[in-house]
Amino acid sequence: MLNERLEQIEEKYIEIGKKMSNPEVATDIKQVTELAKEYSKLEKIVLKYRDYKKLLNQLDGLKAMTKDEDQEIREMAEMELEEVTSKIEKLEEELELMLIPKDPNDEKNVIVEIRGAAGGDEANIFAGDLFRMYSKYAEHQNWKIEVLNAEARETGGYSQIEFMISGDSVYSHMKYESGVHRVQRVPQTESSGRVHTSTSTVVVLPEAEEIDFQLDMSEIRVDTYCSSGPGGQSVNTTKSAVRVTHTPTDTVAQCQDGKSQHENKASALKILRSRLYDKMLREKQEKEAGERKTKIGSGDRSEKIRTYNYPQNRVTDHRISLTIQQLDKIIDGRLEPVIEALIAEEQRRKLEKV
């Protein structure tokens, strides 16, 4: 069964290679881009599969050698047979994982939105802590962060902040972060030392490019206004801040952190396009309910996904019942143990369906 599927993938890989070298196809930029992405994705599997086939041929030769009349040759073949068998088993496991259906957005950059939710000032402060956590995590992964829009609060943190993370396969790691994040700690403003519970929401959107989702500018309303700082006071007299609205769906995006109205409009449109693309994907997933059951990062946005308990230095991810006594490291951007556990669980669920 495994070999049959791998043979089909190799055939498709060869077929795409021929298509890409066709002069008629070479002039169609959209088609060439899509084919190149597919070719690159299949190439990793095909190259590993070819290594696997070489080892299988080697295995057959060694099995024949174990029946040789010469004892030395038999012993040598038996030793190599054990080593090759081990390599084959390892490659089979790797190929099985590679055959798990991939999320088409896994390679994309992301736009992340964090909002202070329940808990007033403390929720906004926690939103700032989450932004710092993701900034540090991005730094560890050699990703780049660009703030698109931020509404800072005088008491600290943000009532809302939107930023882009770009780099290698960002969405494949960050997609698990959408949902409600809960913090339990003694707020700085609490004089009695009582532990409070506050929440912030995180939304992670795959960056939508023109090829993914085209905006019809006749359906976009653009409003300009003066940008504001902490507390809502105006920080300039020119209307450089931009709000864009997709009138058919009433979807809104805004940006005020750029140096000019033009820059803010471009950023707001980038956020809007990604929100509409995400909406389209979520509607599609609603129709494909079976696929949704295997996913961890596509649940209800109002779902409480994680609790950060400061007094006990504990982080709990409620979706996979994971508890780690390393809150200090995780809030400092060392999210790898949590993300890796979420990836492993999603792969396990998908393997059950393969």
Side-chain angles (χ1 to χ4, degrees):
M1 182 68 177
L2 179 68
N3 282 16
E4 192 180 314
R5 290 175 66 202
L6 289 165
E7 279 295 326
Q8 289 170 356
I9 287 168
E10 188 172 30
E11 284 169 18
K12 190 177 178 183
Y13 172 76
I14 293 165
E15 186 187 323
I16 290 171
K18 287 176 182 174
K19 270 188 188 175
M20 286 170 69
S21 60
N22 184 330
E24 291 177 15
V25 174
T27 57
D28 186 338
I29 295 169
K30 185 178 177 182
Q31 193 178 359
V32 167
T33 304
E34 287 172 355
L35 287 171
K37 277 185 182 176
E38 183 71 5
Y39 188 80
S40 174
K41 193 166 66 177
L42 295 179
E43 188 170 49
K44 293 172 187 174
I45 301 173
V46 170
L47 294 178
K48 201 169 282 286
Y49 176 49
R50 286 174 178 172
D51 288 341
Y52 176 68
K53 285 196 288 187
K54 283 177 191 172
L55 284 172
L56 287 178
N57 289 334
Q58 202 176 330
L59 188 74
D60 290 338
L62 288 168
K63 280 179 179 175
M65 286 169 69
T66 58
K67 295 171 185 174
D68 197 277
E69 290 178 6
D70 189 314
Q71 187 180 344
E72 249 184 75
I73 290 174
R74 285 200 310 272
E75 285 173 359
M76 183 189 69
E78 280 164 8
M79 282 172 65
E80 283 191 43
L81 192 67
E82 195 176 324
E83 189 183 332
V84 169
T85 303
S86 176
K87 284 181 182 176
I88 287 170
E89 285 171 359
K90 188 172 180 292
L91 272 180
E92 278 176 351
E93 285 175 14
E94 289 173 8
L95 284 163
E96 276 180 357
L97 283 177
M98 291 176 94
L99 288 178
I100 292 172
K102 294 285 187 296
D103 186 325
N105 293 305
D106 273 355
E107 304 299 315
K108 290 184 181 293
N109 299 328
V110 300
I111 291 173
V112 184
E113 178 191 284
I114 306 174
R115 288 175 183 261
D121 291 341
E122 173 64 6
N124 296 331
I125 291 167
F126 181 50
D129 293 338
L130 290 175
F131 171 61
R132 180 181 174 277
M133 178 180 79
Y134 292 131
S135 300
K136 289 277 189 181
Y137 179 58
E139 193 182 308
H140 299 322
Q141 302 296 319
N142 293 317
W143 296 337
K144 182 186 167 191
I145 278 205
E146 176 193 355
V147 175
L148 302 174
N149 185 51
E151 295 178 19
R153 299 291 93 183
E154 286 177 343
T155 49
Y158 304 92
S159 59
Q160 177 178 340
I161 182 165
E162 288 149 320
F163 54 98
M164 174 174 280
I165 308 179
S166 50
D168 185 31
S169 304
V170 182
Y171 187 71
S172 68
H173 292 77
M174 286 296 297
K175 62 184 174 184
Y176 304 104
E177 295 305 295
S178 288
V180 177
H181 295 243
R182 184 173 72 163
V183 63
Q184 294 174 325
R185 65 184 176 189
V186 179
Q188 294 168 9
T189 53
E190 174 60 55
S191 56
S192 66
R194 189 165 56 90
V195 172
H196 285 233
T197 298
S198 305
T199 61
S200 294
T201 60
V202 176
V203 175
V204 178
L205 308 172
E207 182 196 9
E209 299 168 56
E210 292 279 357
I211 198 168
D212 300 312
F213 192 94
Q214 289 194 336
L215 286 175
D216 182 348
M217 291 308 293
S218 68
E219 298 177 340
I220 307 298
R221 187 177 75 243
V222 181
D223 299 305
T224 58
Y225 58 99
C226 294
S227 59
S228 60
Q233 76 269 27
S234 176
V235 294
N236 62 30
T237 53
T238 58
K239 293 187 175 182
S240 61
V242 176
R243 182 185 299 109
V244 291
T245 306
H246 183 245
T247 51
T249 61
D250 206 29
T251 305
V252 180
Q254 60 193 36
C255 186
Q256 64 171 21
D257 280 46
K259 293 174 184 174
S260 65
Q261 190 182 107
H262 176 76
E263 197 176 307
N264 283 329
K265 183 182 174 183
S267 293
L269 287 172
K270 190 181 286 187
I271 296 169
L272 183 68
R273 181 183 290 111
S274 294
R275 282 186 180 159
L276 292 170
Y277 177 57
D278 181 66
K279 185 174 184 290
M280 181 184 77
L281 291 175
R282 289 172 69 77
E283 285 170 357
K284 186 184 172 191
Q285 285 169 12
E286 287 298 323
K287 293 174 186 174
E288 300 165 359
E291 181 195 353
R292 222 170 74 236
K293 286 173 187 171
T294 66
K295 290 192 172 182
I296 293 170
S298 60
D300 185 349
R301 293 273 164 81
S302 63
E303 176 191 6
K304 181 185 73 181
I305 64 165
R306 196 174 298 147
T307 296
Y308 304 74
N309 184 297
Y310 275 72
Q312 296 177 31
N313 195 37
R314 186 181 69 218
V315 172
T316 300
D317 195 290
H318 305 288
R319 295 163 295 178
I320 56 172
S321 301
L322 173 75
T323 296
I324 299 176
Q325 304 286 153
Q326 295 180 357
L327 183 147
D328 54 337
K329 291 180 181 175
I330 287 165
I331 208 72
D332 199 39
R334 289 298 177 187
L335 265 168
E336 293 88 345
V338 181
I339 301 290
E340 284 166 14
L342 289 160
I343 291 171
E345 175 59 19
E346 188 164 301
Q347 286 179 341
R348 185 192 66 75
R349 291 183 192 183
K350 285 182 175 178
L351 272 171
E352 284 179 357
K353 287 186 66 106
V354 171

